[in-house]
Amino acid sequence: MLPEAFCTRVKKQLGAEYPAFLESLERPRAVALRFRPGWERELPFLGREVPWEPLGYYYDMQARPGLHPYHEAGVYYLQEASAMAPVALLSPQPGERVCDLCAAPGGKSTQIAGRMAGRGFLLSNEIHPKRAAVLSRNVERMGVWNALVTNESPRRLAERLPGFFDRVLVDAPCSGEGMFRKEEAALTDWSMETVAMCARRQLEILDAAASLVRPGGRLVYSTCTFAPEENEEQVAGFLQRHGEFALENVEVPGFDPQSNGVYHLWPHKVLGEGQFAAVLRKNHGVEARPVKLAAGEELPGVWQAFAREMGIALPPGKAVTLGQFLYWTPEEMPDLAGLKVLRPGLALGEVRKGRFLPEHALAQWLAQCGNMQDFPADSKEISAYLHGEAVPSEKKGWCLVRVEGASLGWGKGDGCVLKNHYPKGLRR
């Protein structure tokens, strides 16, 4: 049962389209996934392409692709089709500095990373610690190397990195009206008070985001709600407070080219849930003061020996150590000392007593290396590996375990079996 106050307002918003909207909420919801670039597969349960995302496809809900080994290998990310729209509007480019300010659980951050093609710097932030941990795990699973994951308030980031980013996405926490069909909690938790509370919180986040964007840069604000207080009125108030910004029209397949920078996805008009987005260009403003970049370190000899043996070549970047752990970060990674950083780039491994122990994140980033063992997706070996068991193999030393060409994790061979190094927390 939809709340009466919600129905009254949406009926006023949609007029003659209101019955079609109600009918759409009775239909089974559409489900979609998005491939990691270069890891696309022909899968029997895939349907048509998502119009605004070239790597996005609708799929048969009965297929349950989240249980397939491909999901653990980061071949694809399960993401609602409408939720792919804000990144299409953001249109991040390789080599840019991009910030996803409210990033958990990571769908949009990994989508941004795919469009950046491993070049540039991505900061993925989430203020809630538990959700930030989920974000970090998904960034790792999808093989993103050039992303920093932080657990900070937008205000603190704005103070440290004013004007640092070419593009900023604010997928704001909202009342979730567009998720009524997908999530029962969104419906049961809804109230007009929740809408007002979310609008106040969004105002603060947007003001911080305005400071993060460089002059000439782009800010995309999005929600999964229909409430004008959180959408059009929020954008109008932002433009009054920030005269340096203006709405910008972006041509994206599947969207009305005459949207004038404000985009609505209604479930009776698209194959997906509800979504709102506004594209804002920062036309002028104070040029950013120089931001101190993080200092790089020399890669230790044990890593260099491991990399030579395994045939691993890192992209341009710099090394950073945290305790015994070695990370590889983008060259443009800023110095964020004093901020809560969960993941300062790609975790290469641990240097322990003169030995190098590779991290799971390195395995998920690698497409291939000099010592690999491939298994079919439906094999007993893959099932055993995902359960944490040893698997038969003639390989010796550290070995990249793959499922039909997609990296799953590490094993260490003695010529007879691969000792399992799949993380205990991920095992089935």
Side-chain angles (χ1 to χ4, degrees):
M1 294 291 293
L2 296 173
E4 183 178 349
F6 169 80
C7 292
T8 300
R9 194 202 69 222
V10 173
K11 187 174 184 179
K12 186 181 295 185
Q13 287 177 265
L14 290 176
E17 295 180 26
Y18 181 65
F21 169 75
L22 290 180
E23 183 184 349
S24 73
L25 298 186
E26 298 297 323
R27 295 195 295 265
R29 65 185 183 88
V31 288
L33 60 78
R34 176 179 43 78
F35 282 109
R36 178 174 167 182
W39 292 47
E40 301 94 293
R41 302 286 196 279
E42 290 186 9
L43 302 174
F45 51 80
L46 292 184
R48 59 173 139 159
E49 189 177 286
V50 175
W52 42 84
E53 173 49 63
L55 297 178
Y57 292 85
Y58 297 98
Y59 68 85
D60 180 359
M61 190 183 295
Q62 304 303 317
R64 304 183 72 187
L67 300 179
H68 197 285
Y70 282 166
H71 181 266
E72 305 309 314
V75 170
Y76 48 70
Y77 191 105
L78 303 182
Q79 186 178 20
E80 201 278 311
S82 295
M84 301 180 194
V87 172
L89 294 167
L90 187 70
S91 189
Q93 302 298 310
E96 291 185 328
R97 297 172 174 177
V98 184
C99 176
D100 185 359
L101 198 53
C102 311
K108 295 177 179 65
S109 274
T110 55
Q111 187 183 3
I112 289 168
R115 294 192 175 220
M116 294 174 72
R119 303 197 298 277
F121 171 72
L122 170 61
L123 189 150
S124 299
N125 180 70
E126 173 57 46
I127 193 170
H128 298 287
K130 288 184 179 179
R131 287 172 54 80
V134 173
L135 165 65
S136 186
R137 169 67 194 114
N138 279 325
V139 166
E140 177 179 294
R141 180 174 65 83
M142 297 301 290
V144 180
W145 84 269
N146 58 327
L148 175 81
V149 177
T150 55
N151 171 215
E152 277 295 346
S153 71
R155 179 185 57 79
R156 287 253 293 165
L157 290 178
E159 290 170 353
R160 292 290 292 273
L161 299 171
F164 188 73
F165 295 98
D166 300 291
R167 299 177 198 255
V168 174
L169 174 65
V170 176
D171 185 48
C174 68
S175 57
E177 296 173 356
M179 296 290 107
F180 281 178
R181 179 169 55 174
K182 180 182 176 184
E183 298 177 5
E184 184 178 349
L187 180 57
T188 56
D189 293 345
W190 185 90
S191 68
M192 290 302 292
E193 291 75 18
T194 300
V195 170
M197 178 194 70
C198 289
R200 290 192 296 270
R201 183 165 51 186
Q202 291 154 2
L203 184 151
E204 295 176 4
I205 296 171
L206 268 172
D207 284 348
S211 299
L212 290 166
V213 185
R214 67 165 177 82
R218 177 180 291 177
L219 169 63
V220 169
Y221 171 71
S222 65
T223 72
C224 58
T225 193
F226 308 121
E229 299 94 324
E230 302 178 66
N231 293 342
E232 297 93 338
E233 293 175 19
Q234 191 69 257
V235 172
F238 175 82
L239 291 172
Q240 287 182 346
R241 298 191 305 276
H242 298 276
E244 69 274 23
F245 281 87
L247 286 166
E248 178 183 22
N249 209 40
V250 179
E251 291 191 18
V252 171
F255 291 167
D256 182 357
Q258 306 301 319
S259 293
N260 298 319
V262 176
Y263 303 83
H264 291 272
L265 279 73
W266 291 88
H268 64 290
K269 291 186 174 183
V270 300
L271 199 58
E273 307 305 316
Q275 190 83 34
F276 169 87
V279 182
L280 299 146
R281 173 71 68 178
K282 191 172 188 176
N283 292 318
H284 57 85
V286 178
E287 288 292 336
R289 65 173 185 265
V291 171
K292 181 182 177 183
L293 299 182
E297 305 170 23
E298 283 193 27
L299 285 164
V302 287
W303 159 261
Q304 295 183 33
F306 175 82
R308 282 195 301 270
E309 180 183 349
M310 300 295 285
I312 298 173
L314 295 172
K318 55 192 177 187
V320 172
T321 56
L322 292 178
Q324 294 178 299
F325 286 90
L326 178 66
Y327 292 84
W328 192 245
T329 73
E331 292 177 318
E332 291 197 306
M333 177 141 109
D335 181 359
L336 295 180
L339 296 181
K340 298 176 206 168
V341 177
L342 273 67
R343 182 185 191 273
L346 175 66
L348 299 179
E350 183 181 3
V351 179
R352 186 193 299 173
K353 296 181 180 179
R355 295 179 300 140
F356 183 77
L357 307 176
E359 273 288 301
H360 182 64
L362 175 62
Q364 298 224 272
W365 170 70
L366 286 170
Q368 59 185 5
C369 68
N371 198 26
M372 304 181 294
Q373 179 72 66
D374 259 279
F375 296 107
D378 59 356
S379 67
K380 61 181 181 181
E381 289 87 356
I382 286 297
S383 178
Y385 181 78
L386 290 174
H387 280 86
E389 302 168 17
V391 293
S393 172
E394 296 180 354
K395 300 289 184 179
K396 291 186 177 181
W398 288 106
C399 178
L400 185 64
V401 178
R402 306 199 307 174
V403 51
E404 298 176 3
S407 304
L408 264 178
W410 293 111
K412 196 169 187 182
D414 61 7
C416 296
V417 298
L418 287 175
K419 183 181 178 182
N420 198 303
H421 283 265
Y422 195 64
K424 292 181 180 179
L426 302 179
R427 293 175 184 179
R428 294 182 175 177

